[in-house]
Amino acid sequence: MDALRLLLVLSIISSAAAAAVNNDEKVTLEVYYETLCPYCSNLIVNYLYKLFDSDLKSITDLRLIPYGNAKIKNGTIVCQHGPWECVLNTVESCAIDAWPDVKDHFPFIYCVETLVYQNNYTYWETCFEKLGLDATPVTDCYNSDRGTQLELRYAAETNALQPPHKYVPWVVVDGQPLYDDYEDFASYICKAYKGSATPSACTESSDGHILKVKMNFLKSLFGEETTKSIQALFSWLL
């Protein structure tokens, strides 16, 4: 794991400003995912953490639902990417249960998903030491029936989605799925927000918005890597 990146995430979350809006004005951002899905870990590690890097978090109620495409067969949860995914789905469910505030459980989930992103997920328990966390509430939950009950609860919630989820990550803003545009969750949060305390993250300049639209169009034509090269070239020329 990149230790400096983890420290940055911790610093961002710990220094985030207190919410300036009422809870009933907040926009709900729900992420339905499974722990060993590469697209899911990419979303969490490279995109979702940025929610805490601005005042956008002040209008957002983030919920993480680690179940994904798992199935229940003969009373047993069977995960898409095998037994290890079931282990980590339950571990992350237990972390959410042990530390209900998102600013408390997100650093742990971010740490585990970074290990997944690096294909080192069997070392997930090192995240307790890295973050200075007491492992007891999570391991006790995982080793008891509590972990299974949490996963069954997430299974019921995931299976009740309308419209039904088609893949993961399945990102929903105020009940509306974003489909393939989930990486752009921030703009959907801004559009959905109806309160008066509009965060600065939602008032980007028109020039910046136009550039973003153009870059998304280039990505659709040429792919992400080529678009990054084009963007880097433009940045160097300007």
Side-chain angles (χ1 to χ4, degrees):
M1 154 172 292
D2 184 343
L4 290 177
R5 178 76 171 275
L6 179 58
L7 287 173
L8 174 61
V9 170
L10 285 172
S11 175
I12 288 170
I13 293 177
S14 63
S15 63
V21 299
N22 296 326
N23 285 334
D24 57 359
E25 292 183 340
K26 288 188 175 183
V27 177
T28 300
L29 172 64
E30 295 169 314
V31 179
Y32 295 83
Y33 71 104
E34 55 195 21
T35 49
L36 294 189
C37 160
Y39 299 102
C40 298
S41 59
N42 178 59
L43 173 65
I44 293 171
V45 172
N46 294 318
Y47 293 89
L48 198 58
Y49 86 93
K50 296 177 183 178
L51 181 67
F52 300 91
D53 195 17
S54 72
D55 53 358
L56 189 64
K57 179 64 183 71
S58 68
I59 65 166
T60 307
D61 179 16
L62 172 63
R63 294 187 62 241
L64 300 171
I65 301 93
Y67 180 78
N69 294 327
K71 304 292 183 184
I72 300 175
K73 298 181 180 180
N74 300 320
T76 301
I77 298 175
V78 179
C79 296
Q80 182 176 14
H81 297 96
W84 261 110
E85 183 164 76
C86 282
V87 168
L88 295 180
N89 283 354
T90 306
V91 164
E92 294 190 12
S93 295
C94 286
I96 295 168
D97 187 57
W99 308 303
D101 195 316
V102 68
K103 69 178 177 58
D104 295 327
H105 63 247
F106 184 79
F108 178 80
I109 290 175
Y110 176 89
C111 179
V112 174
E113 290 303 315
T114 299
L115 293 174
V116 171
Y117 192 73
Q118 298 172 342
N119 200 31
N120 289 324
Y121 53 84
T122 57
Y123 297 99
W124 66 269
E125 290 177 281
T126 62
C127 288
F128 295 119
E129 181 179 356
K130 289 172 181 175
L131 297 169
L133 296 170
D134 179 8
T136 304
V138 174
T139 55
D140 283 355
C141 169
Y142 171 75
N143 291 318
S144 70
D145 188 54
R146 177 65 175 169
T148 302
Q149 292 304 313
L150 291 171
E151 274 298 280
L152 290 174
R153 186 187 304 171
Y154 285 144
E157 181 179 348
T158 302
N159 293 333
L161 281 167
Q162 290 297 330
H165 85 284
K166 297 180 178 181
Y167 43 76
V168 287
W170 189 254
V171 180
V172 179
V173 171
D174 270 1
Q176 300 299 314
L178 305 190
Y179 297 97
D180 290 336
D181 206 22
Y182 58 82
E183 291 177 356
D184 193 28
F185 61 85
S187 66
Y188 288 90
I189 292 171
C190 292
K191 291 175 185 176
Y193 180 60
K194 305 303 181 185
S196 57
T198 304
S200 60
C202 293
T203 56
E204 62 180 343
S205 69
S206 58
D207 287 345
H209 179 69
I210 291 171
L211 177 60
K212 184 177 182 180
V213 171
K214 288 181 178 178
M215 287 302 170
N216 285 338
F217 178 66
L218 288 173
K219 185 188 295 185
S220 70
L221 291 177
F222 303 112
E224 186 168 358
E225 291 304 317
T226 301
T227 301
K228 285 181 179 178
S229 299
I230 294 172
Q231 189 171 12
L233 178 60
F234 282 149
S235 297
W236 181 76
L237 290 173
L238 293 177

